[in-house]
Amino acid sequence: MAFKYGKDSSLTGADALVRGIGLFSLGLGVAELVAPGKIARTFGLEGKEGLLRAYGAREIASGIGTLSTDPQPALWSRVAGDVLDMATLALGTRSGKEDAKRNAMLGIGAVAGIAALDAFAATLMGRRGGERPPPADYSDRSGLPKGVEASRGYYRQRKERGPAVAQQDAREDRRHSGGSSAGSTSPAPERTETDTGQAPIAPSVALS
């Protein structure tokens, strides 16, 4: 089974919603498989541990299907599973423990909201045909507007034109960019006696 989410995927809002549902389903399924006794005591379902384990396996299967390339069938199966979960939680409302009864009622409300979210996600997937479009392929992009070969030809041409022409091109590049470089070939200013450390001789002093 191919999975729809990977490092090259560009997720839309619907995709992110479906992924979140799939991950939640996996997490809930693992919890029901690992700790069915604690869940049963919380919601007043003592004696239903085996049923909760079966629900956990169902949740994991639904989560895997939700994360596949065609999540719509798994999403609708989750809606059916949500209805079954609410019917099971209704048994907890008959518990003699007030805390468990309250938790069961809150659980029914939470599962009803999840069922609505699952149905909404399944409807979104149905509107675009169920399957997610393949990830965008950017393997043909090099980052060079005129292509790799055109860029190679440009620099090869500059190399063949010789060092003098290359220096002229470099000066043109610096002039257009408004900057300067340490390798500038502009003529150096004429040195004076002051530059060499010797003091200039005043015109009025006669030389012997």
Side-chain angles (χ1 to χ4, degrees):
M1 179 179 292
F3 288 88
K4 68 187 287 186
Y5 301 106
K7 63 181 181 180
D8 296 328
S9 298
S10 300
L11 297 183
T12 64
D15 293 329
L17 173 62
V18 172
R19 182 179 67 172
I21 292 173
L23 295 177
F24 170 77
S25 185
L26 291 177
L28 179 59
V30 170
E32 290 177 330
L33 283 175
V34 173
K38 185 174 182 179
I39 295 175
R41 289 190 299 271
T42 300
F43 296 101
L45 298 174
E46 289 84 353
K48 305 292 184 183
E49 289 80 6
L51 183 61
L52 292 176
R53 287 193 182 93
Y55 287 176
R58 182 204 70 204
E59 287 289 344
I60 291 175
S62 296
I64 293 174
T66 302
L67 295 175
S68 69
T69 55
D70 187 8
Q72 189 181 20
L75 288 169
W76 284 122
S77 71
R78 277 190 51 79
V79 175
D82 293 334
V83 175
L84 187 59
D85 290 342
M86 286 187 286
T88 304
L89 286 170
L91 300 176
T93 59
R94 303 175 185 176
S95 174
K97 300 177 181 179
E98 291 298 325
D99 290 344
K101 184 184 296 185
R102 183 178 64 253
N103 291 337
M105 295 178 65
L106 292 175
I108 292 173
V111 174
I114 294 172
L117 194 62
D118 291 339
F120 175 69
T123 302
L124 289 180
M125 293 297 102
R127 288 178 180 174
R128 67 181 189 188
E131 294 190 3
R132 181 179 181 272
D137 183 12
Y138 301 110
S139 60
D140 59 339
R141 297 189 181 184
S142 64
L144 301 172
K146 295 184 179 181
V148 177
E149 291 302 324
S151 299
R152 288 176 180 172
Y154 169 74
Y155 285 103
R156 187 183 301 112
Q157 182 181 10
R158 289 187 59 175
K159 184 177 180 180
E160 293 173 352
R161 290 168 64 187
V165 178
Q167 291 179 2
Q168 179 65 29
D169 290 343
R171 286 195 295 270
E172 292 292 332
D173 293 341
R174 287 194 296 273
R175 187 183 65 180
H176 289 302
S177 62
S180 61
S181 172
S184 175
T185 58
S186 58
E190 183 179 357
R191 294 175 61 84
T192 64
E193 293 181 353
T194 304
D195 297 329
T196 60
Q198 300 178 2
I201 301 176
S204 59
V205 177
L207 299 177
S208 57

